[in-house]
Amino acid sequence: AKRLGGNQWRRYSPDMRSATVEQLHLENSLRKAIFRDEFIVHYQPKLSLASQRIVGMEALVRWQHPTLGLLHPGKFIPLAEETGLISVITERVLSQATTQLKAWTDAGLGKLHVAVNIPPQQLHKGNLLQLLEQALDDSGLSAKQLEIELTETSLMDDPDLAISLFKQIRRMGVSIALDDFGTGYSSLSHLRRFPLDILKIDQSFIRDVGTQNEDGAIVRAIITMAHELGMKVVAEGVETREHYHFLEQERCDIVQGYLISRPVTAEAMELLLREQALA
Ligand code: C2E
Ligand code: CA
Ligand code: CA
Ligand code: CA
């Protein structure tokens, strides 16, 4: 980035100036954070509606910033994507999440799965398969316990690339989930083309279900069609008993949201799993 001389700042509004300075500052500290390994993974449980047990979890990255405290992905993922630093973060999250789940599996806490978010850029980098293989090799986790979450953008940028890559990933035994479903442009009929295992309904559709609202009809239709296409359905943003009961009645497979638990530290997640193992 270009350094500007003293008066040149005057051309910018104070807001713009501080935004630019903050951006540069953040980019620098993001590089340092990678170097210092300041990223940690929190986990949010996923509950099966049939068994009412935790069957897996989503890995959600946080940045333990030395002065700003715990930063959520909204604060740094967009910049990490812009600067290409995202692939190192993906690698770290994959490594932490698979190692952690392997330890929990060995401790007898159940054969659960962990889902890791994969940004769209990672598909075009051409090394996603190797990344996954590496994480599984290093951790010793079974491929069946690993899931990746991708958004519709990843599919639609280059559908043929996505399809061939997904086939190879599934052949490894790793499952593929379509994240934030309903927020992009693809239609359900499009989805037939892609080898997908799981459909995650975006939380914006869940918000008003259970009250008298057409979102209920949409969610019902998504669940039915996903099942007919052979996919399991996860509902995100399940916050209330109304949400839960509606989804249970509509035969949604898995729920995730604040009603079950917020994303928590590995220590807190382990406590939840130990409680469940005793029950
Ligand atoms: P996402 O993949 O859609 O993850 C779900 C987000 O919804 C999480 O926010 C989670 O804390 C939040 N959430 C869960 N349950 C509820 C609920 O009941 N109500 C509401 N209102 N929100 C709920 P978080 O952790 O801030 O992550 C935001 C986004 O950042 C994620 O959205 C994902 O796109 C991205 N992200 C998170 N971790 C990673 C990562 O390791 N790599 C990449 N590339 N992106 C990540
Ligand atoms: Ca996700
Ligand atoms: Ca999501
Ligand atoms: Ca989202």
Side-chain angles (χ1 to χ4, degrees):
K2 201 160 63 178
R3 266 202 178 278
L4 300 170
N7 337 356
Q8 287 196 49
W9 286 121
R10 295 212 186 116
R11 287 198 208 139
Y12 297 84
S13 73
D15 272 4
M16 277 176 75
R17 181 175 79 178
S18 61
T20 313
V21 171
E22 197 186 315
Q23 177 100 350
L24 273 177
H25 188 70
L26 202 61
E27 185 175 338
N28 267 329
S29 54
L30 199 56
R31 289 183 195 280
K32 276 194 204 137
I34 289 171
F35 188 69
R36 295 180 187 153
D37 214 359
E38 289 169 353
F39 298 100
I40 56 169
V41 178
H42 281 189
Y43 299 91
Q44 187 174 35
K46 296 191 195 174
L47 189 89
S48 155
L49 284 172
S51 67
Q52 301 195 17
R53 292 178 69 86
I54 298 169
V55 290
M57 64 203 78
E58 179 172 3
L60 294 158
V61 71
R62 271 92 183 94
W63 175 6
Q64 188 64 67
H65 192 285
T67 53
L68 300 176
L70 196 68
L71 299 184
H72 280 241
K75 284 262 191 253
F76 62 92
I77 290 286
L79 187 64
E81 291 190 343
E82 255 175 61
T83 53
L85 295 170
I86 187 68
S87 54
V88 189
I89 297 176
T90 306
E91 208 179 315
R92 301 272 171 91
V93 173
L94 265 170
S95 159
Q96 270 190 46
T98 51
T99 306
Q100 182 62 79
L101 187 59
K102 172 66 172 153
W104 285 336
T105 307
D106 289 349
L109 297 178
K111 201 148 171 99
L112 312 165
H113 75 259
V114 67
V116 174
N117 291 286
I118 304 293
Q121 295 97 318
Q122 207 76 51
L123 263 68
H124 305 284
K125 286 215 143 185
N127 67 342
L128 182 56
L129 270 176
Q130 289 94 305
L131 269 184
L132 298 174
E133 262 163 12
Q134 186 75 49
L136 291 171
D137 270 5
D138 290 349
S139 63
L141 187 75
S142 155
K144 300 239 171 324
Q145 292 180 269
L146 181 60
E147 203 172 286
I148 57 171
E149 297 192 1
L150 297 135
T151 58
E152 287 164 83
T153 317
S154 305
L155 275 58
M156 296 308 163
D157 276 359
D158 188 345
D160 294 328
L161 172 79
I163 290 169
S164 86
L165 198 56
F166 289 5
K167 283 184 181 156
Q168 297 177 71
I169 289 170
R170 278 175 120 196
R171 219 172 290 138
M172 286 172 63
V174 173
S175 310
I176 306 171
L178 184 58
D179 204 357
D180 299 346
F181 182 75
T183 58
Y185 296 102
S186 63
S187 65
L188 270 166
S189 62
H190 247 98
L191 292 186
R192 269 183 317 182
R193 297 183 56 206
F194 297 92
L196 297 165
D197 304 283
I198 298 130
L199 195 124
K200 294 191 81 173
I201 306 176
D202 190 69
Q203 55 190 52
S204 57
F205 291 98
I206 306 301
R207 204 161 295 143
D208 295 323
V209 301
T211 63
Q212 62 285 61
N213 186 290
E214 56 250 358
D215 280 354
I218 293 171
V219 169
R220 184 178 299 131
I222 294 174
I223 294 172
T224 305
M225 283 189 74
H227 281 164
E228 269 167 29
L229 295 172
M231 289 184 261
K232 287 212 158 132
V233 182
V234 178
E236 300 192 274
V238 177
E239 294 183 351
T240 68
R241 300 201 156 270
E242 286 71 31
H243 295 162
Y244 185 99
H245 287 130
F246 176 86
L247 293 160
E248 190 174 40
Q249 189 185 312
E250 299 303 330
R251 307 233 179 285
C252 178
D253 301 283
I254 290 172
V255 289
Q256 179 183 349
Y258 296 167
L259 180 70
I260 320 304
S261 164
R262 291 191 172 245
V264 294
T265 62
E267 292 73 27
M269 185 71 203
E270 183 167 331
L271 286 180
L272 285 176
L273 297 178
R274 289 198 181 279
E275 252 173 55
Q276 168 164 288
L278 293 174

